[in-house]
Amino acid sequence: RQRLARILGIDIAAERVAQILRSLGMAVTTTADGWSVTAPSKRFDIAIEEDLIEEVARIHGYDAIPEHAPRGEIALAGASETRVGPGQFRASLLADGCMEALNFSFVAAETLQRWGLGAGAVALANPLSAELGVMRTSLLPGLVEAQKRNRARQQGRVRLFELGRVFTAGDPPQETERLAAVLSGSARAEQWGEARRPLDFFDVKGMVERLLALTGDSTGFHFNAAGLPAWLHPGRSARVWRGEATVGLLGCLDPRLADVLELDGDTWVFDLDLAAIAARSLPRAGELSRFPSLRRDLAILVEHSVPFARIRAVAAAELGDLLRECLLFDEFIGPSLPNGTRSLAIGLILQDSSRTLTDPEVDQAMAGVIAALARETGARLRG
């Protein structure tokens, strides 16, 4: 009875249903939830429940069944505020002058071998061609080929990015969402107000930092030059870390790979794990201090191997809630400094939310920072 009403969309009296079926020569027994029907042997076209429903509808009259427009209600789920959407990453890259590319998920096995990315590639059982024989393990080979074709067609400044999946062998094969880009040419579009200069590491790093800033957790990311793959230039590249996990790479392609790929000039790339960088911290309202802030500048000598991020972390750990901002505003490297060292000028902005800091308190805090930097990084004040 329930299925009859659901299929036809109307309610027909039980007596009327039994009468229709009996009039067609069927044996009908009424049960608690419907009818048990035995069709005559001559009705070989009645085999399933829907056949009986069709007979009821035919005799009752199709014109007696009202017409209703179908309803296609879809419950829309709101985007989670704890994730940065792909559209936001796209908007940031478009604002930096990039264009989105869409490449095949299939590449030639030889292409991945040139990059050293062939391990774990998923081979296709029936590829479209030999050039499309395996699933890509990285977005970069396809992007670099697209950049190369654009450069061959007189495009001197090429910036391409792609959001897509990469594949590694497994049972079943693993799919990972990645965000990658390839950049070459000048740092700025041609103009009269600024001299033309080529892209450098800090241009690319700044672009990545703008992407990471969308998470609201910029200080949770840091860059380290350890453990780089062979296809990246060892002195002009870095790994991207979020806490204790690596989430991507950025830098210049190794010249040996560039020669194999027949690339002219420097080619800069970055490759990020989209899921790992998309987690976002929800903003929390906090009280604005009514008391003035104080700034103290330090000029310190450190080894070249000590990054500013390490210095900033030591200062933050020592000063705690008093530190509002740590700025690097100058770097000096020259023959007047000891070999292997550089001079960094940093600004520390201190503020308390409950009172005005006194000069003796600030002097004591700065002495603690200087001691912590010397202990943790080997830094010393520049005379």
Side-chain angles (χ1 to χ4, degrees):
R1 186 176 291 109
Q2 290 182 355
R3 184 163 179 79
L4 177 71
R6 186 169 70 85
I7 295 297
L8 298 184
I10 60 174
D11 290 324
I12 302 177
E15 295 79 6
R16 174 62 176 156
V17 173
Q19 178 188 3
I20 291 173
L21 294 175
R22 290 193 181 100
S23 68
L24 295 173
M26 302 183 190
V28 180
T29 302
T30 302
T31 63
D33 55 357
W35 304 269
S36 176
V37 181
T38 302
S41 58
K42 63 181 180 180
R43 293 299 304 270
F44 55 86
D45 59 325
I46 296 179
I48 59 176
E49 185 178 26
E50 282 74 10
D51 294 333
L52 296 174
I53 296 174
E54 181 183 8
E55 293 297 305
V56 172
R58 182 172 62 87
I59 302 302
H60 182 70
Y62 294 123
D63 56 344
I65 300 176
E67 297 179 359
H68 298 287
R71 300 174 63 184
E73 297 180 357
I74 300 176
L76 298 178
S80 173
E81 295 184 13
T82 61
R83 308 290 294 179
V84 180
Q88 294 172 280
F89 288 124
R90 285 189 176 96
S92 177
L93 290 168
L94 291 172
D96 277 322
C98 297
M99 298 185 68
E100 186 170 6
L102 296 174
N103 292 304
F104 282 121
S105 296
F106 317 125
V107 296
E110 293 76 12
T111 299
L112 296 182
Q113 294 297 335
R114 293 192 200 103
W115 285 71
L117 297 171
V122 180
L124 298 177
N126 188 22
L128 297 175
S129 67
E131 291 75 21
L132 303 173
V134 298
M135 304 295 287
R136 63 188 179 187
T137 59
S138 171
L139 301 178
L140 290 177
L143 283 171
V144 170
E145 286 299 318
Q147 177 255 6
K148 182 179 175 181
R149 288 192 295 272
N150 278 271
R151 292 294 294 266
R153 287 158 177 80
Q154 301 178 346
Q155 300 300 312
R157 184 172 182 266
V158 180
R159 296 186 170 199
L160 299 174
F161 76 92
E162 184 173 6
L163 283 87
R165 295 180 181 180
V166 300
F167 308 85
T168 53
D171 188 19
Q174 301 299 307
E175 301 181 16
T176 307
E177 294 280 351
R178 307 290 296 189
L179 169 59
V182 56
L183 310 101
S184 61
S186 60
R188 299 284 186 271
E190 188 173 354
Q191 56 172 302
W192 63 269
E194 183 178 348
R196 186 174 182 177
R197 66 172 181 84
L199 273 169
D200 61 23
F201 173 82
F202 295 102
D203 291 317
V204 182
K205 181 171 179 280
M207 186 179 297
V208 172
E209 287 178 329
R210 285 188 285 277
L211 290 172
L212 303 180
L214 296 173
T215 66
D217 184 31
S218 298
T219 59
F221 295 90
H222 63 278
F223 301 84
N224 193 302
L228 296 173
W231 48 269
L232 279 177
H233 193 296
R236 307 166 72 188
S237 306
R239 279 191 177 274
V240 185
W241 294 78
R242 187 171 199 175
E244 300 299 321
T246 178
V247 297
L249 297 158
L250 70 110
C252 183
L253 290 186
D254 188 272
R256 293 168 295 183
L257 176 61
D259 288 341
V260 172
L261 299 177
E262 299 179 350
L263 301 175
D264 58 329
D266 290 338
T267 299
W268 297 87
V269 300
F270 64 80
D271 184 10
L272 303 171
D273 185 336
L274 191 61
I277 67 170
R280 173 165 53 188
S281 301
L282 293 179
R284 294 184 178 181
E287 181 183 2
L288 295 176
S289 178
R290 297 177 296 147
F291 302 94
S293 61
L294 296 174
R295 173 168 174 158
R296 293 291 185 269
D297 293 343
L298 293 177
I300 58 175
L301 287 176
V302 295
E303 299 289 335
H304 280 293
S305 59
V306 179
F308 171 67
R310 175 62 178 156
I311 294 171
R312 181 173 55 193
V314 172
E318 178 66 24
L319 294 173
D321 293 337
L322 290 182
L323 182 64
R324 291 292 180 264
E325 196 169 359
C326 180
L327 306 171
L328 174 64
F329 61 89
D330 192 27
E331 178 187 39
F332 175 74
I333 301 173
S336 60
L337 300 180
N339 289 335
T341 64
R342 57 178 178 157
S343 173
L344 299 180
I346 61 175
L348 301 173
I349 299 176
L350 309 179
Q351 188 179 38
D352 193 290
S353 59
S354 61
R355 60 190 176 85
T356 300
L357 295 173
T358 63
D359 286 337
E361 290 174 329
V362 174
D363 292 340
Q364 182 179 359
M366 295 304 297
V369 170
I370 294 170
L373 289 174
R375 182 175 63 253
E376 300 293 336
T377 68
R380 64 183 186 274
L381 288 178
R382 183 180 177 188

